[in-house]
Amino acid sequence: MANMNLYSRGDKTFVIINMVLIGIFTLSTLYPFIYITALSFSSGFAATAGKVVLTPVERTAEAYNYILSDRMFWVSYGNTFIYTIGGTLMSLAFLIPGAYALSRPQLYGRRFWNLMVAFTMWFNAGLIPFFLNMRDLGLLDSYFGIIIGFAVNGFNLILLRNFFEGVPRSFEEAARMDGANDFQVLWKVYVPLAKPAIATVALFCMVSRWNGFFWAMVLLQDQDKIPLQVYLRHTIATLSDDPEFTATQLNASYSFETVSAAIIVCSIIPVLIIYPFIQKYFEKGILMGGVKE
Amino acid sequence: MSGVKLESIVKTYGALQVVHGIDLEVLEKEFVVLVGPSGCGKSTTLRMIAGLEEISGGQLTIDGRMMNRVAPKDRDVAMVFQNYALYPHLNVAENIAFGLRIRKESNAAVDAAVAEVSGILGLTDYLDRRPADLSGGQRQRVAMGRAIVRRPKVFLFDEPLSNLDAKLRTQMRAEIKRLHKRLGATSIYVTHDQVEAMTLADRIVVMQDGRIEQVGTPMELFLNPANSFVAGFLGAPPMNQIEAVIGEGADAPMAEFAGGKIALPKLPGLQNAVGREVIVGIRPEYAQIATAPAEGVVDCDLDLVETLGSEALLHMSIHGKPFVIRTETLGQVAELEHVTGFSAAPDLIKVFDANTGVALSGQMRVA
Ligand SMILES: Nc1ncnc2c1ncn2[C@@H]1O[C@H](COP(=O)(O)OP(=O)(O)OP(=O)(O)O)[C@@H](O)[C@H]1O
Ligand SMILES: [Mg+2]
């Protein structure tokens, strides 16, 4: 923390209130993680009885034993990776050139195209027409359908477009004078400049893919293609429908609470591993120094 | 021959016309400076030459080739931007090399070119730095390096020095001049700083409201401005302009104005022109100070003396109208407090028509 002596009394109060608020906020977002982790390592009995608060009760790894020995866990885990990586790459492949084009004043019919994109943010066709559309395009029950069907989202497109619009025109002009064509201006100048914005959008895409659940459930019949989140739902449904399991639940070493918690913990781990690498792109001021106001 | 020729060049934005038909021929290896007040269309004209703005009308030729519809990259011109527009993600060497890399030059050729250019510009020690880690002057040099490395036919500069402090600006101005001598490339330079224009230009183009007011060498424009606008634009401080009426004179025409009268040169337009309204132009340098009333001396009140060292600026007023005199001090600053008027040799006076602002013909002679 900075030297408190440099602050006036009013500033000190402000800083202290800030720190308290930030502390409360941090704890409130951190607690669910702690709770879920504790739950996943508790016995089924303790979990069902609601005894878990902060630390595992009747510590056991039975829930993990259960899911790690299920083939479907691994299959769906792998599928989630395919959807996340494939989907994010596909999204960027559309979003970057699309946003750049929409940001250029020389784009013919620019207002119209921008309006069309914004339109999709407020209105959509609804569940059934979209499903029928996907069916008629032959995109049901396929990896490609899930990946391409949700590649472009108006919000991300506009976010990136706004960033491109904020880059001073003289970068484009300088690159053109240097002999660059449209693609070279984009890939050699604007994309490197937009790294923080692209990282943000990529993170949004990854998180929504990683947690993507609803459409995967609707569009995928083939169990070998479902992602982890759908598997999680299936597991909860299966366990709660299993009369044998329910009957023995009171003294079970695992319950569907602990099993779902374990699945959630497993699904969080990759995000925790990747985030620090992405975070470094959230640096501000990459434009600094190139132009002078 | 890499000259640039503009014929009736027009620029319109929708219904708004901002450049109204410019004719200009820039010769090979010439250094031409466009000056004019803010918003007069200098940048627009330059950007049309660069290919960054579409030409709405007229013809642009570079090297004898029609360029109106040619993409910027195929015009073989380079431009230095006011804000430099250095690529922040690339270091100095990569910034300079960018254009060559785009043109797929071999690594060896690129390295050699970067080494040569950075040597010329004194950037050799900074090649690994990012633009953010350079001073203003160094960034300016990198921007120049990026332009010269390709050896283009034509250099375009849009107020390249306006972001530097006064001292650095003077230094970089000299450097640009040296660079031009060394490379001998055709250059078009936009500025609204008339000192830059005077010192750099082979020829100056003075613009106003999307039109060219006058084209000529710095001395031509200084000594014989075509109109009162040019007279008021070049020179620091600019030419004094006094509204006057031609009166009766014994042998030379006389200008009469509130607070005095002064003898004018014998110009054709001033013979038998009693009653004609004119503007009398006297450069601050060409007014002689007087400390007592006398024949031919215009009396004024001294408002303020600004001492610049070897010279001083006397801010006077004639019947409430400002008049500036620039004079040598010779260390006698106290004397200047006693100035009560000035005189000017008729040969050193310019006369403009009061209605049109056009200079009455006649060459000014400097002793
Ligand atoms: N995109 C545009 N749309 C409409 N008018 C424009 C546009 N760009 C420039 N103008 C107008 O054109 C005129 C000339 O602008 P220009 O930038 O060439 O001036 P300038 O001489 O370079 O001025 P400065 O010294 O301030 O840079 C100005 O009146 C300006 O308002
Ligand atoms: Mg300008």
Side-chain angles (χ1 to χ4, degrees):
Chain A
M1 195 181 68
N3 187 346
M4 278 299 254
N5 293 327
L6 295 176
Y7 292 98
S8 76
R9 178 180 288 236
D11 286 345
K12 271 183 201 166
T13 319
F14 179 74
V15 168
I16 289 167
I17 291 176
N18 265 348
M19 291 195 312
V20 169
L21 288 178
I22 290 171
I24 292 172
F25 179 75
T26 310
L27 286 180
S28 71
T29 47
L30 209 55
Y31 179 68
F33 282 106
I34 296 171
Y35 173 70
I36 287 288
T37 312
L39 199 61
S40 71
F41 284 106
S42 299
S43 74
F45 175 72
T48 314
K51 287 181 178 166
V52 181
V53 178
L54 207 59
T55 49
V57 179
E58 299 171 20
R59 185 184 300 264
T60 166
E62 268 306 299
Y64 288 94
N65 272 344
Y66 175 84
I67 57 166
L68 296 183
S69 58
D70 184 355
R71 185 190 79 95
M72 274 315 293
F73 170 77
W74 296 106
V75 169
S76 65
Y77 213 127
N79 287 339
T80 287
F81 269 99
I82 292 172
Y83 293 129
T84 301
I85 295 169
T88 303
L89 291 179
M90 184 70 84
S91 293
L92 293 179
F94 280 102
L95 289 172
I96 293 172
Y100 179 72
L102 289 175
S103 75
R104 296 296 90 184
Q106 65 263 35
L107 174 69
Y108 193 77
R110 176 169 178 240
R111 280 178 65 101
F112 173 78
W113 298 121
N114 275 303
L115 197 70
M116 286 295 106
V117 171
F119 186 82
T120 65
M121 289 169 68
W122 317 119
F123 303 99
N124 62 57
L127 173 63
I128 293 178
F130 188 82
F131 177 85
L132 296 177
N133 196 11
M134 291 295 276
R135 187 195 64 188
D136 295 346
L137 289 169
L139 292 175
L140 292 187
D141 236 352
S142 80
Y143 288 114
F144 184 69
I146 295 283
I147 288 174
I148 193 87
F150 306 90
V152 177
N153 139 320
F155 177 78
N156 287 339
L157 193 58
I158 286 177
L159 189 101
L160 209 48
R161 181 206 70 186
N162 287 349
F163 184 89
F164 284 138
E165 276 176 352
V167 175
R169 275 311 289 285
S170 46
F171 285 119
E172 180 192 345
E173 295 175 345
R176 279 192 194 286
M177 297 302 296
D178 272 342
N181 60 31
D182 279 300
F183 281 102
Q184 288 167 323
V185 171
L186 175 57
W187 292 115
K188 291 187 188 290
V189 181
Y190 276 68
V191 166
L193 288 180
K195 260 187 204 160
I198 293 174
T200 308
V201 165
L203 189 70
F204 286 168
C205 292
M206 274 191 254
V207 168
S208 85
R209 290 290 184 172
W210 189 264
N211 296 327
F213 153 69
F214 180 75
W215 282 107
M217 198 175 68
V218 172
L219 298 176
L220 297 173
Q221 298 299 312
D222 184 347
Q223 289 306 298
D224 279 348
K225 288 179 181 154
I226 63 168
L228 192 60
Q229 305 296 339
V230 177
Y231 166 74
L232 170 61
R233 202 198 110 89
H234 283 345
T235 308
I236 295 171
T238 320
L239 289 183
S240 52
D241 284 353
D242 184 344
E244 199 182 328
F245 178 73
T246 324
T248 58
Q249 205 186 57
L250 274 183
N251 49 21
S253 53
Y254 61 91
S255 69
F256 63 76
E257 281 97 344
T258 67
V259 169
S260 15
I263 297 175
I264 293 169
V265 169
C266 290
S267 77
I268 289 171
I269 289 169
V271 179
L272 287 182
I273 293 173
I274 288 174
Y275 186 73
F277 293 98
I278 292 186
Q279 197 193 17
K280 76 169 187 205
Y281 287 107
F282 289 97
E283 59 197 29
K284 273 189 188 157
I286 183 103
L287 288 177
M288 258 177 51
V291 302
K292 180 152 183 185
E293 291 79 37
Chain B
M1 212 221 56
S2 16
V4 178
K5 195 168 174 189
L6 288 76
E7 290 168 276
S8 318
I9 292 286
V10 169
K11 179 69 194 180
T12 51
Y13 290 107
L16 178 72
Q17 192 173 76
V18 296
V19 173
H20 313 281
I22 286 200
D23 291 293
L24 177 67
E25 185 161 5
V26 180
L27 304 176
E28 182 172 19
K29 301 195 175 181
E30 199 177 18
F31 199 115
V32 166
V33 175
L34 307 184
V35 283
S38 193
C40 71
K42 309 178 294 287
S43 298
T44 307
T45 306
L46 195 74
R47 290 164 55 82
M48 285 192 282
I49 299 171
L52 296 172
E53 295 286 349
E54 206 173 327
I55 296 171
S56 316
Q59 265 204 20
L60 171 72
T61 47
I62 296 177
D63 220 1
R65 232 183 103 204
M66 167 88 165
M67 286 290 172
N68 285 42
R69 303 226 152 264
V70 176
K73 66 187 171 77
D74 301 320
R75 294 190 186 196
D76 202 8
V77 300
M79 182 153 165
V80 178
F81 292 82
Q82 180 174 7
N83 63 12
Y84 315 147
L86 302 179
Y87 310 119
H89 59 291
L90 301 179
N91 66 26
V92 169
E94 292 162 340
N95 260 285
I96 295 175
F98 188 87
L100 301 177
R101 298 249 180 248
I102 291 277
R103 282 157 213 263
K104 304 258 188 301
E105 305 261 350
S106 73
N107 280 338
V110 171
D111 292 346
V114 170
E116 188 194 347
V117 165
S118 55
I120 293 175
L121 292 168
L123 288 168
T124 314
D125 294 338
Y126 307 103
L127 289 176
D128 295 330
R129 294 222 199 146
R130 295 281 174 97
D133 305 327
L134 297 175
S135 73
Q138 290 160 346
R139 287 179 203 175
Q140 172 58 47
R141 266 181 250 261
V142 178
M144 305 265 296
R146 204 168 57 175
I148 66 178
V149 73
R150 287 194 284 118
R151 304 260 161 186
K153 285 201 193 99
V154 181
F155 285 109
L156 306 174
F157 301 85
D158 193 354
E159 307 203 24
L161 305 183
S162 61
N163 280 326
L164 302 179
D165 64 47
K167 196 172 164 194
L168 206 49
R169 198 179 309 168
T170 316
Q171 193 182 327
M172 287 305 298
R173 202 170 69 206
E175 210 154 306
I176 290 178
K177 184 102 190 166
R178 259 199 303 279
L179 213 54
H180 178 250
K181 281 223 172 86
R182 175 168 182 168
L183 302 174
T186 312
S187 304
I188 305 176
Y189 187 107
V190 164
T191 179
H192 54 233
D193 178 347
Q194 53 98 17
V195 179
E196 259 170 50
M198 294 295 282
T199 51
L200 285 172
D202 293 326
R203 280 193 304 155
I204 296 179
V205 178
V206 181
M207 291 179 64
Q208 182 184 212
D209 289 340
R211 290 194 174 79
I212 292 183
E213 294 286 344
Q214 192 176 3
V215 182
T217 65
M219 278 321 271
E220 272 166 21
L221 265 56
F222 184 75
L223 295 175
N224 292 301
N227 53 46
S228 61
F229 174 79
V230 175
F233 196 78
L234 294 178
M239 187 182 272
N240 294 293
Q241 303 193 12
I242 308 169
E243 289 171 20
V245 177
I246 302 298
E248 309 272 356
D251 45 9
M254 292 296 281
E256 296 177 352
F257 46 90
K261 57 182 185 174
I262 195 161
L264 299 179
K266 292 174 188 160
L267 301 173
L270 298 178
Q271 310 295 340
N272 305 319
V274 175
R276 179 168 186 184
E277 293 179 0
V278 294
I279 293 170
V280 176
I282 303 174
R283 290 242 173 245
E285 297 81 0
Y286 299 155
Q288 298 290 323
I289 52 174
T291 47
E295 179 68 24
V297 168
V298 178
D299 296 328
C300 7
D301 300 319
L302 178 62
D303 297 333
L304 177 70
V305 178
E306 280 184 315
T307 318
L308 307 171
S310 66
E311 295 181 327
L313 296 181
L314 309 185
H315 293 267
M316 328 274 295
S317 55
I318 312 168
H319 218 80
K321 300 265 175 61
F323 190 93
V324 178
I325 300 175
R326 183 177 193 140
T327 184
E328 295 188 351
T329 56
L330 302 174
Q332 305 290 315
V333 183
E335 301 257 300
L336 297 175
E337 300 288 348
H338 306 300
V339 171
T340 60
F342 70 90
S343 61
D347 283 348
L348 297 178
I349 295 177
K350 291 299 294 181
V351 185
F352 306 96
D353 185 276
N355 297 314
T356 61
V358 174
L360 304 192
S361 62
Q363 297 288 304
M364 181 158 26
R365 285 191 288 110
V366 183

